[in-house]
Amino acid sequence: LQSEGNPFFAEELIRSWIEKGELAWENDQWTATASLEHALPQSIVAVLRQRFKQLSSHVIDHLRIAAIIGRTFDLSVLAAIESQEVEALEEHLLQAARSGLIRTERAGIFTFSHDKIRECLYAEVSNFRRRRLHEVIGRVLEARYDQENTKSMYQLAELAFHFTQSGDRIRGVTYAQQAAEQAMQLTAFKEAVSYYHLALELLPSYDERRRTLLLALGEAALLANAESEAVTAYE
């Protein structure tokens, strides 16, 4: 799954897992001896950084900010975050597209060609700058979505994510709860469980809102056929 079908990434990931002893040949088959969810192997990072050097520092910095927005990003949102002209920014992004780092989905929408590319760029941003950018992104999206009559579950979850990453627990809880409630209406019960968990993680143990959220989590878990989780929430 991590390689997304790309043979280079697949080979480097498997080689890294074998070298670290996380993947072993046992009983005529490869077996994972540890969790395979970890940082990118240095071989992949090195190759990606070589590709980054082929572009100007300005283009790469645009991509670093875009990586914080997400795998797919809107040109107009990136322009608002950077206070840049859309046309000038688009020229830079088209350079990145020609290099194969991103691709155009449709007018004004770009996607990283592989999530490992986005992951590597995201990791290059300092923690302080990352938190600040998550807040800026959250506020830009919040202003944009406020113009619509209702926010979708995806939009609410997106806002919850960015404000949580920025350290704004108040907005993080609010949007996570709203995303969970929207998920319940859409009968997306597993997603609702996930969003209720996020809201609860952001609230201190003494906050009275936990009661309401735990009851709602219990209901969502029951509907998601996660009975043991529902029991824990109700207890």
Side-chain angles (χ1 to χ4, degrees):
L1 289 174
Q2 289 194 50
S3 71
E4 297 182 13
N6 185 300
F8 166 72
F9 284 107
E11 290 170 8
E12 292 300 326
L13 284 167
I14 291 170
R15 184 179 292 112
S16 172
W17 292 335
I18 293 172
E19 288 174 354
K20 293 178 180 178
E22 294 168 344
L23 198 62
W25 183 256
E26 297 176 356
N27 301 320
D28 296 325
Q29 64 180 0
W30 289 105
T31 304
T33 59
S35 172
L36 301 181
E37 294 294 330
H38 49 66
L40 288 172
Q42 285 304 307
S43 54
I44 292 180
V45 174
V47 170
L48 289 177
R49 285 181 175 162
Q50 281 297 110
R51 291 183 66 185
F52 297 162
K53 286 179 181 178
Q54 296 172 9
L55 295 170
S56 73
S57 59
H58 295 297
V59 172
I60 294 302
D61 200 50
H62 294 317
L63 293 181
R64 289 193 186 106
I65 297 170
I68 295 172
I69 297 173
R71 174 76 183 265
T72 297
F73 59 95
D74 188 315
L75 172 62
S76 64
V77 170
L78 183 60
I81 292 162
E82 296 193 56
S83 300
Q84 295 265 348
E85 291 293 330
V86 172
E87 291 82 358
L89 185 56
E90 186 176 31
E91 285 299 316
H92 282 147
L93 293 181
L94 288 175
Q95 291 178 40
R98 285 191 288 271
S99 75
L101 294 177
I102 59 175
R103 62 176 181 267
T104 306
E105 290 293 319
R106 54 187 185 278
I109 305 295
F110 292 86
T111 295
F112 284 96
S113 301
H114 196 288
D115 200 49
K116 298 302 177 187
I117 296 171
R118 186 200 64 81
E119 215 175 291
C120 189
L121 288 161
Y122 186 94
E124 290 184 347
V125 182
S126 68
N127 288 335
F128 180 82
R129 188 185 186 210
R130 199 183 296 164
R131 284 169 66 94
R132 182 180 62 78
L133 284 169
H134 274 299
E135 181 179 4
V136 174
I137 292 165
R139 290 185 179 276
V140 167
L141 292 176
E142 186 178 51
R144 174 169 293 206
Y145 297 156
D146 279 347
Q147 296 174 5
E148 302 173 16
N149 292 328
T150 58
K151 298 181 183 70
S152 69
M153 180 184 71
Y154 171 77
Q155 290 171 336
L156 291 165
E158 191 178 18
L159 291 170
F161 168 74
H162 286 297
F163 284 121
T164 297
Q165 294 300 311
S166 76
D168 187 338
R169 288 174 172 264
I170 295 174
R171 279 186 167 85
V173 169
T174 299
Y175 287 121
Q177 182 175 357
Q178 289 178 10
E181 291 167 353
Q182 186 84 279
M184 290 291 285
Q185 293 175 17
L186 297 170
T187 67
F189 303 125
K190 288 184 179 179
E191 287 82 355
V193 168
S194 169
Y195 300 142
Y196 279 128
H197 272 300
L198 174 58
L200 285 161
E201 286 169 12
L202 295 171
L203 282 178
S205 58
Y206 56 80
D207 195 304
E208 292 186 358
R209 285 175 293 175
R210 292 184 67 84
R211 301 174 186 175
T212 302
L213 287 172
L214 284 166
L215 286 170
L217 171 60
E219 181 185 357
L222 277 177
L223 292 168
N225 295 318
E227 291 184 9
S228 61
E229 190 168 358
V231 170
T232 300
Y234 285 135
E235 285 179 345

